[in-house]
Amino acid sequence: MDFAELEAVEGLRWPWHSWPPTTPAAASLVVPTSVLCSPLQHPTAPDLLPLLPYAPLRCASPGCGAALNPFSRVHHGSARWSCAFCGAAANPFPRLLAPDALPAELFPTHSSVEYLLPPDPAEPGGPGPPALVFVIDAATAAEELTVLKDEVRRLMQGLPEGIRVALVTFAASVWVHDLGFEGCARVVVLNGERELESDKVGAAELRNPIEVTGGLMVHTESFEYEQFKSCFRHMFRREGTNYLNMNFNATIEIVTSKEVKICGALGPCISLRRKNNSVSDKEIGEVYDKVPTW
């Protein structure tokens, strides 16, 4: 399997072909050793990316947590496996383990797998449905506001069932609308007398939340322009499924051997501030308090 085929299966792009063998060699690199990850990429060869109906089997060694993988050593007699990251050899193997019935994680061709996690006992009903909050400037010109309301109504009619929707409008005051109350229009009005300095509610101030959430900013002179309408509809597309083409509350965790340290992450993510010893002293991008979890 060549690099392009491997990338299509795993959603990973490696801008290097060999690992630096020494610390000086690593320090001399012009471009840091990195991995470009596309976790939502649809694999072109689904049979090479199995979906396993159970939780990953993880190393029980404190501070490790690496999952069973093709580089793990399996001891069939004692039904245990050795972690390729920390070297711990006392990890029990709870499932059937036989040389002719190996789990998919140990196949050499399955360097990447996906897991269909069982329900979390802490959340009997599973994770809650997505929530969308529409925040609208009610001081917008009447004709512009009419176009925007039509687009929002059109969008809400096409949303999958179960999605929670909130509406907040603001002008001289802030109005939080109770959309679930059917008897009459009911809102909570918040005092709008607080003054903000100029240059603090513009596009530049919104850059950080947009970047860390993978959001979008569309610049257009009117809501009537096709540029706004097409982008707005594209964000909430479904493509024949009962789910939006969005993903919520994802967590990315990097597990390394003791010889490898993480400098940081670039992209739409924010640190979860979980401390361990896998972070480099050299920080790049989103690290915050020595945490390789986003």
Side-chain angles (χ1 to χ4, degrees), residues 96-149:
L96 176 64
L97 181 62
D100 58 347
L102 294 177
E105 300 98 312
L106 294 176
F107 280 51
T109 55
H110 293 165
S111 55
S112 289
V113 298
E114 291 188 347
Y115 294 93
L116 183 61
L117 299 180
D120 187 348
E123 297 184 71
L132 303 177
V133 181
F134 294 94
V135 182
I136 298 176
D137 184 355
T140 304
E143 58 273 14
E144 290 288 324
L145 196 58
T146 299
V147 176
L148 179 58
K149 288 192 294 186

Side-chain angles (χ1 to χ4, degrees), residues 106-243:
L106 294 176
F107 280 51
T109 55
H110 293 165
S111 55
S112 289
V113 298
E114 291 188 347
Y115 294 93
L116 183 61
L117 299 180
D120 187 348
E123 297 184 71
L132 303 177
V133 181
F134 294 94
V135 182
I136 298 176
D137 184 355
T140 304
E143 58 273 14
E144 290 288 324
L145 196 58
T146 299
V147 176
L148 179 58
K149 288 192 294 186
D150 290 342
E151 283 298 314
V152 173
R153 288 196 187 100
R154 179 184 181 280
L155 169 68
M156 293 181 63
Q157 291 174 356
L159 289 177
E161 294 184 5
I163 289 186
R164 299 172 180 174
V165 177
L167 175 63
V168 178
T169 58
F170 65 94
S173 300
V174 177
W175 293 42
V176 181
H177 301 259
D178 187 349
L179 302 180
F181 190 74
E182 299 180 354
C184 61
R186 185 166 71 174
V187 298
V188 176
V189 182
L190 305 178
N191 192 322
E193 294 182 354
R194 179 184 175 188
E195 294 185 1
L196 298 177
E197 297 179 15
S198 58
D199 189 42
K200 289 192 175 180
V201 290
E205 287 70 30
L206 293 176
R207 175 179 176 179
N208 181 256
I210 290 174
E211 288 183 344
V212 299
T213 60
L216 302 174
M217 179 180 291
V218 180
H219 289 274
T220 181
E221 295 182 2
S222 171
F223 292 124
E224 293 186 356
Y225 283 15
E226 187 60 30
Q227 179 186 12
F228 166 75
K229 293 182 179 180
S230 60
C231 290
F232 191 62
R233 296 171 186 176
H234 182 75
M235 287 173 57
F236 298 94
R237 66 192 186 281
R238 293 171 58 179
E239 297 182 356
T241 67
N242 196 35
Y243 302 94

Side-chain angles (χ1 to χ4, degrees), residues 244-268:
L244 294 175
N245 285 10
M246 298 182 181
N247 290 267
F248 302 85
N249 298 328
T251 301
I252 299 177
E253 180 181 358
I254 306 296
V255 179
T256 70
S257 62
K258 63 181 180 180
E259 296 83 6
V260 180
K261 302 293 183 182
I262 303 297
C263 293
L266 300 175

